PDB file of all heavy atoms in Angstrom:
ATOM      1  N   ILE A 163      -6.444   3.351   2.697  1.00 99.00           N
ATOM      2  CA  ILE A 163      -6.960   4.749   2.776  1.00 99.00           C
ATOM      3  C   ILE A 163      -6.837   5.152   4.196  1.00 99.00           C
ATOM      4  O   ILE A 163      -7.416   4.491   5.123  1.00 99.00           O
ATOM      5  CB  ILE A 163      -8.397   4.814   2.285  1.00 99.00           C
ATOM      6  CG1 ILE A 163      -8.501   4.403   0.773  1.00 99.00           C
ATOM      7  CG2 ILE A 163      -8.918   6.174   2.421  1.00 99.00           C
ATOM      8  CD1 ILE A 163      -9.911   4.180   0.220  1.00 99.00           C
ATOM      9  N   PRO A 164      -6.189   6.270   4.514  1.00 99.00           N
ATOM     10  CA  PRO A 164      -6.144   6.781   5.908  1.00 99.00           C
ATOM     11  C   PRO A 164      -7.513   7.037   6.447  1.00 99.00           C
ATOM     12  O   PRO A 164      -8.381   7.572   5.727  1.00 99.00           O
ATOM     13  CB  PRO A 164      -5.286   8.039   5.767  1.00 99.00           C
ATOM     14  CG  PRO A 164      -4.476   7.913   4.542  1.00 99.00           C
ATOM     15  CD  PRO A 164      -5.386   7.066   3.573  1.00 99.00           C
ATOM     16  N   ASP A 165      -7.736   6.538   7.614  1.00 98.00           N
ATOM     17  CA  ASP A 165      -9.035   6.776   8.298  1.00 98.00           C
ATOM     18  C   ASP A 165      -8.900   6.734   9.748  1.00 98.00           C
ATOM     19  O   ASP A 165      -7.819   6.957  10.324  1.00 98.00           O
ATOM     20  CB  ASP A 165     -10.060   5.629   7.768  1.00 98.00           C
ATOM     21  CG  ASP A 165      -9.676   4.252   8.155  1.00 98.00           C
ATOM     22  OD1 ASP A 165      -8.775   4.015   9.018  1.00 98.00           O
ATOM     23  OD2 ASP A 165     -10.111   3.290   7.533  1.00 98.00           O
ATOM     24  N   SER A 166     -10.028   6.451  10.504  1.00 98.00           N
ATOM     25  CA  SER A 166      -9.915   6.515  12.022  1.00 98.00           C
ATOM     26  C   SER A 166      -9.224   5.300  12.660  1.00 98.00           C
ATOM     27  O   SER A 166      -9.128   5.200  13.904  1.00 98.00           O
ATOM     28  CB  SER A 166     -11.390   6.586  12.495  1.00 98.00           C
ATOM     29  OG  SER A 166     -12.094   5.461  12.070  1.00 98.00           O
ATOM     30  N   THR A 167      -8.627   4.463  11.863  1.00 98.00           N
ATOM     31  CA  THR A 167      -7.924   3.302  12.414  1.00 98.00           C
ATOM     32  C   THR A 167      -6.760   3.696  13.339  1.00 98.00           C
ATOM     33  O   THR A 167      -5.956   4.530  12.925  1.00 98.00           O
ATOM     34  CB  THR A 167      -7.332   2.403  11.265  1.00 98.00           C
ATOM     35  OG1 THR A 167      -8.416   1.952  10.514  1.00 98.00           O
ATOM     36  CG2 THR A 167      -6.552   1.300  11.812  1.00 98.00           C
ATOM     37  N   VAL A 168      -6.785   3.181  14.554  1.00 98.00           N
ATOM     38  CA  VAL A 168      -5.791   3.520  15.501  1.00 98.00           C
ATOM     39  C   VAL A 168      -4.613   2.444  15.499  1.00 98.00           C
ATOM     40  O   VAL A 168      -4.878   1.311  15.565  1.00 98.00           O
ATOM     41  CB  VAL A 168      -6.332   3.556  16.921  1.00 98.00           C
ATOM     42  CG1 VAL A 168      -5.295   3.887  17.966  1.00 98.00           C
ATOM     43  CG2 VAL A 168      -7.527   4.540  17.083  1.00 98.00           C
ATOM     44  N   LEU A 169      -3.433   2.929  15.264  1.00 98.00           N
ATOM     45  CA  LEU A 169      -2.288   2.001  15.236  1.00 98.00           C
ATOM     46  C   LEU A 169      -2.011   1.537  16.589  1.00 98.00           C
ATOM     47  O   LEU A 169      -2.072   2.274  17.595  1.00 98.00           O
ATOM     48  CB  LEU A 169      -1.017   2.682  14.674  1.00 98.00           C
ATOM     49  CG  LEU A 169      -1.195   3.120  13.234  1.00 98.00           C
ATOM     50  CD1 LEU A 169       0.150   3.778  12.725  1.00 98.00           C
ATOM     51  CD2 LEU A 169      -1.537   1.903  12.297  1.00 98.00           C
ATOM     52  N   LYS A 170      -1.773   0.166  16.765  1.00 97.00           N
ATOM     53  CA  LYS A 170      -1.548  -0.386  18.077  1.00 97.00           C
ATOM     54  C   LYS A 170      -0.126  -1.093  18.141  1.00 97.00           C
ATOM     55  O   LYS A 170       0.408  -1.421  17.095  1.00 97.00           O
ATOM     56  CB  LYS A 170      -2.653  -1.305  18.508  1.00 97.00           C
ATOM     57  CG  LYS A 170      -2.926  -2.409  17.484  1.00 97.00           C
ATOM     58  CD  LYS A 170      -4.137  -3.199  17.933  1.00 97.00           C
ATOM     59  CE  LYS A 170      -4.285  -4.538  17.185  1.00 97.00           C
ATOM     60  NZ  LYS A 170      -4.146  -4.444  15.766  1.00 97.00           N
ATOM     61  N   ASP A 171       0.312  -1.162  19.342  1.00 98.00           N
ATOM     62  CA  ASP A 171       1.619  -1.863  19.635  1.00 98.00           C
ATOM     63  C   ASP A 171       1.669  -3.225  18.887  1.00 98.00           C
ATOM     64  O   ASP A 171       0.748  -3.992  18.938  1.00 98.00           O
ATOM     65  CB  ASP A 171       1.768  -2.108  21.113  1.00 98.00           C
ATOM     66  CG  ASP A 171       3.198  -2.542  21.471  1.00 98.00           C
ATOM     67  OD1 ASP A 171       4.091  -1.732  21.175  1.00 98.00           O
ATOM     68  OD2 ASP A 171       3.271  -3.625  22.020  1.00 98.00           O
ATOM     69  N   GLY A 172       2.760  -3.441  18.093  1.00 98.00           N
ATOM     70  CA  GLY A 172       2.895  -4.653  17.428  1.00 98.00           C
ATOM     71  C   GLY A 172       2.525  -4.568  15.904  1.00 98.00           C
ATOM     72  O   GLY A 172       2.852  -5.485  15.117  1.00 98.00           O
ATOM     73  N   ASP A 173       1.842  -3.525  15.442  1.00 98.00           N
ATOM     74  CA  ASP A 173       1.447  -3.356  14.106  1.00 98.00           C
ATOM     75  C   ASP A 173       2.618  -2.966  13.275  1.00 98.00           C
ATOM     76  O   ASP A 173       3.638  -2.493  13.874  1.00 98.00           O
ATOM     77  CB  ASP A 173       0.422  -2.200  13.954  1.00 98.00           C
ATOM     78  CG  ASP A 173      -0.979  -2.654  14.348  1.00 98.00           C
ATOM     79  OD1 ASP A 173      -1.189  -3.854  14.543  1.00 98.00           O
ATOM     80  OD2 ASP A 173      -1.852  -1.687  14.624  1.00 98.00           O
ATOM     81  N   ILE A 174       2.551  -3.103  11.964  1.00 98.00           N
ATOM     82  CA  ILE A 174       3.422  -2.399  11.007  1.00 98.00           C
ATOM     83  C   ILE A 174       2.565  -1.573  10.123  1.00 98.00           C
ATOM     84  O   ILE A 174       1.408  -1.894   9.813  1.00 98.00           O
ATOM     85  CB  ILE A 174       4.327  -3.383  10.187  1.00 98.00           C
ATOM     86  CG1 ILE A 174       3.462  -4.383   9.394  1.00 98.00           C
ATOM     87  CG2 ILE A 174       5.313  -4.061  11.075  1.00 98.00           C
ATOM     88  CD1 ILE A 174       4.210  -5.287   8.446  1.00 98.00           C
ATOM     89  N   VAL A 175       3.114  -0.442   9.600  1.00 99.00           N
ATOM     90  CA  VAL A 175       2.333   0.435   8.682  1.00 99.00           C
ATOM     91  C   VAL A 175       3.227   0.916   7.565  1.00 99.00           C
ATOM     92  O   VAL A 175       4.333   1.446   7.842  1.00 99.00           O
ATOM     93  CB  VAL A 175       1.644   1.608   9.444  1.00 99.00           C
ATOM     94  CG1 VAL A 175       2.656   2.491  10.096  1.00 99.00           C
ATOM     95  CG2 VAL A 175       0.784   2.415   8.374  1.00 99.00           C
TER      96      VAL A 175
END
Side-chain angles (χ1 to χ4, degrees):
I163 300 171
D165 62 16
S166 57
T167 299
V168 178
L169 296 179
K170 54 185 196 309
D171 190 61
D173 285 345
I174 54 173
V175 60

